[in-house]
Amino acid sequence: MNAFAEIVARSPGRVNLIGDHTDYTGGMVLPMAIDRYTTITAKPLDAAILLNSADQPAELNCTLPIVDPASTVPAWGRYVTGVAAQMNVKRGFSGSVSTTLPLGGGLSSSAALELSTALMLCLVNELPTLTSLEMAQLCRRAEHLATGVPCGIMDQLTCASGVAGSALLIDCHSLQVSPIEIPHDVNIYVQFVAHRQLASSAYSDRVAQCAQAEQHIGPLRLAEVGNVRNIADDVLRRRALHVVSENDRVRRATVALALQDLTTFGQLMNESHQSLRDNFEVSTQQMDEAVRNAQQTPGVFGARMTGGGFGGCIVIAADSTTNIDNLKGAMLVKPVGGAEII
Ligand code: GLA
């Protein structure tokens, strides 16, 4: 490889249309990779990674191999060193990273950084090409290692395997990914509400509560609403009710999208928000207000919080012939292909 050649690796972020807090119980999700990217431009470098960020003050300067990614300073570099530790690589790179995704905004800026790092490290170390699934699994393990957040597979798998023009129905148990075309009659918008950090949120508590609920009724992905009623503890029952009903909503929303029944699709989005707010309790007042405002806007089929919650963004599905400019800061996003070397 020409040591002076500059390589560009980029990964899209993602927005989840419906199906939140279901992936880590092997449930159903319907996200799409979006036309907002994290891009690393770099040259190969022996035994180190030097990376400055257009969006963060401190640069990452670390020696390979990485022993403890969780202690990397600056903290944003942990997503990079987590991937390097997982890949156990000797060659790194020197360059810069920039993003058009809001950081900590629930649009998978961290998964996009992990994936572009993985692609870059594969190339500079001349490793065999990994499949999208292998790449996503590696990056998910890297995130666990680097941040301690027990995230599911949705973000990494969506950023790795995006399909232009389509959302992805992902069964997080079988890991089957099925593209579902987005009809031309609908536009997808995201509206940023507030920054958040999953590591300092109650995300891990929710993962633990789902595991506890499963001790009562078995895998939530196989459970039905009737089974959930057998859980005596009120909090665990509501958590389980969200997951079980959300899996069902994802399945129905997928059918509605395929049939171009956007009214039903929108209603399911609205119901999803209600369940995330009342049963799973991962929304915030600010997000509820933004969602309510969007839902009341003419031309909007449906709106909900998206991603892990506790802040971040909301997602809106609107009639493509209607102008929703009055929704302040709503950003039109298009479904795109997955992470790549360009
Ligand atoms: C975060 C996690 C995902 C998923 C969502 C909630 O984005 O990284 O794995 O659990 O929250 O759906």
Side-chain angles (χ1 to χ4, degrees):
M1 184 187 305
N2 174 356
F4 297 103
E6 208 158 52
I7 304 161
V8 180
R10 75 166 188 184
S11 168
R14 66 98 189 91
V15 67
N16 191 16
L17 300 180
I18 191 162
D20 272 310
H21 288 276
T22 50
D23 62 346
Y24 48 79
T25 51
M28 308 300 294
V29 295
L30 186 66
M32 66 186 211
I34 57 172
D35 56 347
R36 299 292 189 282
Y37 299 90
T38 293
T39 307
I40 299 180
T41 305
K43 291 176 181 177
L45 180 70
D46 268 333
I49 297 178
L50 297 181
L51 194 58
N52 62 61
S53 161
D55 314 282
Q56 302 276 2
E59 74 169 15
L60 172 67
N61 181 347
C62 61
T63 311
L64 298 176
I66 303 290
V67 182
D68 178 21
S71 63
T72 299
V73 178
W76 67 266
R78 289 175 196 167
Y79 300 107
V80 175
T81 54
V83 172
Q86 271 300 311
M87 294 175 82
N88 196 20
V89 285
K90 299 199 172 57
R91 283 194 108 196
F93 51 85
S94 162
S96 60
V97 59
S98 64
T99 190
T100 51
L101 286 158
L103 299 175
L107 297 180
S108 293
S109 53
S110 48
L113 178 54
E114 290 154 11
L115 278 153
S116 35
T117 302
L119 281 175
M120 183 64 78
L121 288 175
C122 258
L123 202 71
V124 300
N125 287 282
E126 296 173 25
L127 299 176
T129 315
L130 298 176
T131 63
S132 305
L133 177 59
E134 287 166 338
M135 192 87 90
Q137 285 170 322
L138 184 153
C139 289
R140 178 191 182 196
R141 287 196 301 271
E143 180 145 350
H144 288 188
L145 203 66
T147 67
V149 176
C151 65
I153 191 77
M154 170 172 69
D155 302 351
Q156 290 83 2
L157 192 50
T158 308
C159 298
S161 40
V163 173
S166 292
L168 307 175
L169 173 67
I170 305 177
D171 176 331
C172 298
H173 180 69
S174 69
L175 298 176
Q176 190 180 339
V177 179
S178 317
I180 309 290
E181 217 175 301
I182 304 271
H184 291 296
D185 304 351
V186 63
N187 275 342
I188 305 297
Y189 294 86
V190 294
Q191 193 179 23
F192 179 76
V193 176
H195 287 282
R196 61 105 181 90
Q197 283 240 315
L198 278 190
S200 53
S201 76
Y203 183 92
S204 328
D205 292 348
R206 295 297 184 275
V207 174
Q209 287 165 343
C210 287
Q212 270 175 280
E214 292 199 324
Q215 289 182 349
H216 293 281
I217 59 168
L220 291 178
R221 72 188 161 82
L222 302 176
E224 290 179 10
V225 171
N227 309 126
V228 173
R229 297 208 180 94
N230 297 330
I231 303 177
D233 182 273
D234 174 59
V235 171
L236 294 188
R237 189 172 57 247
R238 283 186 294 119
R239 303 298 187 248
L241 183 59
H242 165 70
V243 176
V244 172
S245 62
E246 186 81 346
N247 283 333
D248 181 53
R249 281 187 288 275
V250 173
R251 291 192 181 92
R252 287 191 285 144
T254 304
V255 174
L257 202 59
L259 294 176
Q260 310 198 4
D261 176 359
L262 298 167
T263 306
T264 303
F265 184 76
Q267 270 163 9
L268 289 162
M269 286 177 81
N270 296 347
E271 285 171 27
S272 166
H273 182 79
Q274 201 178 334
S275 175
L276 285 158
R277 182 191 67 199
D278 301 340
N279 291 327
F280 218 68
E281 296 180 286
V282 289
S283 187
T284 63
Q285 231 175 23
Q286 243 186 320
M287 298 181 95
D288 294 342
E289 263 163 45
V291 164
R292 205 175 314 121
N293 190 24
Q295 288 171 346
Q296 287 165 0
T297 300
V300 167
F301 296 118
R304 57 187 284 280
M305 57 153 275
T306 183
F310 310 104
C313 285
I314 68 163
V315 58
I316 303 162
D319 186 333
S320 56
T321 60
T322 312
N323 183 333
I324 63 153
D325 281 355
N326 56 332
L327 283 179
K328 219 174 96 221
M331 173 169 97
L332 179 66
V333 289
K334 297 282 183 192
V336 295
E340 60 185 346
I341 297 285
I342 50 175

